Amino acid sequence: MYIEMVDETGQVSEEILKQTQEILEFAAQKTCKENKEMAVTFVSNARSHELNLEYRDTDRPTDVISLEYKPELDIAVDEEDLLDHPELAEMLEDFDAYIGELFISVDKAREQAEEYGHSFEREMGFLAVHGFLHINGYDHYTPEEEAEMFGLQEEILTAYGLTRK
């Protein structure tokens, strides 16, 4: 899995960047069938607030914003075209590889780690996995969806070694 990471805050350590890469690759092994690409940007509460207002019409900062990318192709391509034009098949595969992006508020992660009584590392891992599951189609609007998503989330975090302390 290819993950582009940007730290807009200048506060994210190499260890957290490495952990984020590893835990997302680990989560991908459990949820993705194909090689995918995504982006993670670490932001401040102020930037999170702007993004939350822009994308969710919610006037406050949040911990993680997940933007799922769903390509909508309105072109018909038959298999003969793909066989005759391998570059077209490669373009379509690349186009379909990008699954979305996450914006993780470093400020919120610090606040929540303290509030919930666990490590900053655990909270950053939790937010990365939570956002990752959202961009892979998981949600928690109904009790059934919540049970499925939160169960998988906890399974990934525990298997990776980021347990609640």
Side-chain angles (χ1 to χ4, degrees):
M1 167 162 238
Y2 175 77
I3 304 165
E4 180 180 328
M5 284 194 268
V6 175
D7 177 16
E8 289 184 359
T9 69
Q11 299 176 27
V12 180
S13 68
E14 287 298 319
E15 291 81 16
I16 292 292
L17 292 173
K18 183 178 183 231
Q19 173 188 288
T20 303
Q21 178 81 33
E22 289 175 354
I23 201 162
L24 291 173
E25 288 174 351
F26 187 75
Q29 292 172 1
K30 294 201 168 280
T31 60
C32 295
K33 303 287 187 267
E34 301 170 38
N35 203 12
K36 298 293 183 182
E37 298 176 15
M38 64 178 291
V40 178
T41 304
F42 299 97
V43 298
S44 65
N45 270 352
R47 181 75 172 119
S48 170
H49 190 159
E50 291 171 7
L51 292 163
N52 209 18
L53 193 54
E54 179 180 347
Y55 289 107
R56 295 174 147 167
D57 202 27
T58 303
D59 194 11
R60 63 176 171 78
T62 190
D63 52 8
V64 62
I65 295 171
S66 310
L67 302 178
E68 181 181 1
Y69 180 70
K70 294 181 182 178
E72 294 183 21
L73 285 178
D74 255 359
I75 57 172
V77 179
D78 65 29
E79 273 198 49
E80 195 171 303
D81 285 340
L82 295 178
L83 291 173
D84 291 342
H85 304 282
E87 70 280 359
L88 178 60
E90 188 176 322
M91 280 177 37
L92 290 174
E93 187 176 299
D94 288 346
F95 185 70
D96 191 39
Y98 190 75
I99 58 173
E101 56 191 310
L102 305 180
F103 295 90
I104 298 174
S105 171
V106 177
D107 299 331
K108 272 286 184 204
R110 286 191 201 290
E111 292 168 19
Q112 290 175 176
E114 188 173 317
E115 180 182 334
Y116 301 141
H118 56 241
S119 70
F120 175 68
E121 292 77 13
R122 159 68 185 193
E123 188 64 19
M124 291 293 281
F126 169 85
L127 295 175
V129 170
H130 187 84
F132 176 81
L133 291 176
H134 273 305
I135 66 173
N136 279 283
Y138 291 87
D139 234 315
H140 46 88
Y141 292 117
T142 67
E144 296 80 19
E145 288 175 340
E146 183 175 312
E148 179 183 17
M149 182 177 177
F150 288 13
L152 181 56
Q153 184 174 272
E154 197 55 41
E155 177 186 324
I156 291 167
L157 289 165
T158 300
Y160 182 78
L162 282 177
T163 57
R164 294 182 187 195
K165 295 176 185 173

